[in-house]
Amino acid sequence: MDTLDTRTLEEKIDRLIRICERLEDENRALRDQQNSLIAERATLVEKSELARSRVEAMITRLRGMETGT
């Protein structure tokens, strides 16, 4: 291999290393975002369940008031 081929190969390897590093950073950021969204979803599901149970309790009370009159 002559010097030009070696230099070209080194440049390609350096480019691949930079691409791999960028992809690792991007993957890390995406995993962090996914974890954040999973936690947010869990919070929203919990709030939704709480709201549902409150609405069901109100409906039960209203039906009780309706039959009590």
Side-chain angles (χ1 to χ4, degrees), residues 25-41:
D25 292 342
E26 188 177 318
N27 282 341
R28 190 175 305 108
L30 288 170
R31 278 193 294 275
D32 290 345
Q33 182 181 19
Q34 181 183 24
N35 289 335
S36 175
L37 290 171
I38 287 170
E40 182 180 354
R41 181 184 183 280

Side-chain angles (χ1 to χ4, degrees), residues 21 44 52:
E21 289 171 345
L44 291 173
R52 184 187 57 77

Side-chain angles (χ1 to χ4, degrees), residues 39-54:
E40 182 180 354
R41 181 184 183 280
T43 300
L44 291 173
V45 166
E46 184 179 335
K47 287 181 179 181
S48 176
E49 286 297 317
L50 179 61
R52 184 187 57 77
S53 67
R54 286 181 177 173

Side-chain angles (χ1 to χ4, degrees), residues 1-64:
M1 236 192 250
D2 65 353
T3 306
L4 184 59
D5 287 341
T6 304
R7 182 168 290 136
T8 302
L9 182 59
E10 287 175 350
E11 289 173 358
K12 288 181 179 182
I13 290 172
D14 287 341
R15 197 170 334 138
L16 282 172
I17 290 171
R18 286 192 303 274
I19 289 170
C20 286
E21 289 171 345
R22 190 190 83 227
L23 289 173
E24 285 175 350
D25 292 342
E26 188 177 318
N27 282 341
R28 190 175 305 108
L30 288 170
R31 278 193 294 275
D32 290 345
Q33 182 181 19
Q34 181 183 24
N35 289 335
S36 175
L37 290 171
I38 287 170
E40 182 180 354
R41 181 184 183 280
T43 300
L44 291 173
V45 166
E46 184 179 335
K47 287 181 179 181
S48 176
E49 286 297 317
L50 179 61
R52 184 187 57 77
S53 67
R54 286 181 177 173
V55 168
E56 286 178 355
M58 283 190 282
I59 290 171
T60 301
R61 277 183 269 149
L62 286 171
R63 286 184 179 153

